[in-house]
Amino acid sequence: MSLLLLAFAQLTGSHHVPPNAPIMHTHQLLQKAKYLYNTHRYKEAYHLFAFSAFEENHVCREYRIKCLMAIGEWRTALQESKHMIRLYPTASQWYLVAADICLTSQQYRMSREILQESLSKVPYDDSYYADLSRLERVAYQGMLELDCAKCIDVLGVLPYDLILNIFGRLSLDSLVRATRVSRQWREYLINTPRLWHSLDFGSKNNFSLSIATINTYLGRLDGTPLTHLKIHHEQPDGDSILKAISLQASPRLHTLDLSELTCTPEMFSSLLSSVGSSLHTLRWGGIAIKLDDLMHSIANTCTSLKHLDIHDCFVASTALSHNSSNHNTITTNPLSPTNSTFASNLTSISAYSTLSINTLVLSGVYGLSPSYMAALLHRCPSLTRLELQRSVLGISHVLATLRTCCPSLKDLIYQSNRYYEPSRDFDDQQQIQQIQELQDLPNTDSLVLESTNLIHIPSSSSSSASSSSSSSSSSSSTLSSLPSTLPVLSVTSEDQPKKIKLGLGSGDHVPLREISLRKANGLTDAMVDLVLSESLGSLEVLDLYSAAGISDKALRQIISHDEQIVSQSTITAPLAALRQLTLHGCTGLSEQMILSILKRAPNLVHVDLSGLATVTDTILHYMANNSNNNMAALQTLDLSDCLSVTDSGVRSLVDSLSKGSLKELTLTDSSLCLDTLVYSACKIRKNPF
């Protein structure tokens, strides 16, 4: 230890820079950091030593570790030391630093392992080789003394409920390792069925999952119900594994998470028949089961299912799917009500049972057509959260469908597939025009959608009594077969149709709570205006990441809201519930619109304005002047690639927000000078440990 301190003192020197001296060069910045360290201002010194320009400086690295040790962050200091060991495996100084940290925190076993590694990699003629050998013996002696002091077994000291609570918090891997501690521990853990009710065979476990392994763990339940099961393994004999689970697992399984498993639809359906009645959450990923087969099995067996997550699979070719698998071959809008396929698809959902799920996640589902998506959502009338990740459907198709279904939807999360081409979509104004023109069409038996999302089924009139009777019976049969949870569709005469509201923009839709349209190619002002309608007061998350195609018109409702409430005695902010705002890459928004949003959102916590050239010092000055009002709750702010902000504006912002709740300020790829970046790093109280 003394040799380490002596070497450290020689490297640091004795030159100090007054605290108020201006920082001009990297050398002066290093001297200021050393001054902060020598005056025991360790956290501020750490921020400067962690500057990117010092990444290759060994002296700064050593200072960083010393700062971490001085403020009690032993674990982070050890991680820094191990990182340097990986970079320089033959440098003795980093082994000494890591061993000293472990010895100080009484981690003798880890210290001995580090020192043993050093003796095998550091050259024998190194000046510190003898010290490494001596510390290895010290660590071994400390390890022996510590083992003697900890000879008391917790199983004989702590109450049973407390021991059960402690072991119940361990993962499956940790629980298995705990059985190898001692015979007493193994006997206790294996004979406690309540500890094995949640089995997680994740992909991080690099072993072949055999039927014997499954039976071993299921056998430890001893009649106790299995509540959570996760298998992420590409097993060639998935049918045998599913059969073993269906035979031994009780019908009280709460969560089933299967991915990459090779099995047949029949065996998967058999498993759901055994455990599906109690399932609350189901996740499936893989090409072995098609989406259509999966939905058919779920509808017949999983009566209590609330959360459905499907990823990386294909859609089977059924009556609800388009015959063409290539979107480029579509010559008409598949969601247009004038398209006979769309109308027939919607009316055919009466043949399928209604699903009671509240959350639907579809990620990387290939072959998903607009008509299939429409039919699927119509089977989920109680849906409150919809996530479409890596979607092959355009955002216009999704929004057009949501205008006719899901009246209880609160969260809409969408991200397009990286290979999706917006040219496949159709203009939403054209869709609205087609819907409006549909009102003037002659009598038809198909389902009719109006531009205001009102649905009616006009009855056909005929001079023939037999044809009139046939039409009436056909309409009644269609209505009686619809699921009871869907909105009732009335058969009326054509001149006075009874209209029923549902879907986005209908007036009766539940206000949205989260809107996330990330990388939504083809997103227009009209689409954003549609999803924002009647949701401003309840909106908590607004994420328009990379929506370069929108302008101020997309968010005009935020401004018009103020005009509607001028006559009221009590005026509330239209975005009072908004907590997270992401406008990354929304280059069409003006500075005035961004400023208007910030003024009308007094409770923002996370704000992302990165990549916007319209963000100037005007916005920064507003945020600085309202650090105790609208910006009082702000915790993270991203100004990356905002090339229009200046050093003075950022300094003013930092001076005001650093006194509040701001924890993180991102200034990546900015045009700010080095002094401003260092100043911001020292002022913002982000805890990097």
Side-chain angles (χ1 to χ4, degrees), residues 386-408:
L386 175 62
E387 293 188 31
L388 301 176
Q389 303 289 350
R390 295 180 287 139
S391 175
V392 296
L393 291 180
I395 184 61
S396 61
H397 287 146
V398 176
L399 295 181
T401 303
L402 291 177
R403 298 189 70 175
T404 66
C405 60
C406 303
S408 302

Side-chain angles (χ1 to χ4, degrees), residues 257-270:
D257 187 352
L258 303 177
S259 182
E260 305 173 11
L261 203 64
T262 303
C263 61
T264 59
E266 293 77 15
M267 183 52 64
F268 186 80
S269 178
S270 176

Side-chain angles (χ1 to χ4, degrees), residues 465-608:
S466 61
S467 64
S468 175
S469 174
S470 175
S471 173
S472 176
S473 63
S474 176
S475 301
S476 302
S477 174
T478 301
L479 293 177
S480 62
S481 60
L482 283 173
S484 59
T485 54
L486 284 175
V488 179
L489 307 180
S490 301
V491 178
T492 60
S493 61
E494 182 183 3
D495 53 348
Q496 293 182 348
K498 183 178 180 180
K499 303 174 182 179
I500 301 174
K501 299 181 179 181
L502 75 164
L504 289 176
S506 64
D508 292 340
H509 190 279
V510 174
L512 293 176
R513 179 178 53 194
E514 178 178 354
I515 298 175
S516 179
L517 306 176
R518 298 177 67 88
K519 300 180 180 179
N521 300 328
L523 186 66
T524 63
D525 294 341
M527 298 177 190
V528 177
D529 186 72
L530 171 66
V531 296
L532 284 178
S533 60
E534 303 176 1
S535 298
L536 294 180
S538 63
L539 196 61
E540 297 180 5
V541 177
L542 178 59
D543 188 346
L544 300 176
Y545 188 92
S546 294
I550 66 173
S551 64
D552 291 354
K553 296 180 180 179
L555 305 175
R556 60 187 176 182
Q557 295 190 47
I558 299 176
I559 308 299
S560 62
H561 182 275
D562 289 351
E563 300 175 355
Q564 299 174 3
I565 62 176
V566 168
S567 59
Q568 299 180 5
S569 58
T570 303
I571 298 179
T572 59
L575 297 174
L578 191 63
R579 298 294 185 270
Q580 178 177 338
L581 174 66
T582 302
L583 299 176
H584 168 88
C586 297
T587 55
L589 297 181
S590 65
E591 180 186 43
Q592 292 76 14
M593 176 54 69
I594 297 174
L595 196 59
S596 299
I597 297 175
L598 296 178
K599 289 180 179 179
R600 291 160 175 81
N603 298 308
L604 283 173
V605 178
H606 308 284
V607 176
D608 184 356

Side-chain angles (χ1 to χ4, degrees), residues 102-110 139 141-157 181-182 184-185:
C102 294
L103 290 176
T104 306
S105 57
Q106 295 186 350
Q107 300 183 37
Y108 300 111
R109 189 177 302 276
M110 184 180 297
Q141 184 62 33
M143 186 175 62
L144 294 179
E145 294 177 359
L146 189 61
D147 290 341
C148 294
K150 295 182 178 180
C151 59
I152 301 177
D153 195 341
V154 294
L155 295 181
V157 178
V181 173
S182 64
Q184 185 178 1
W185 279 39

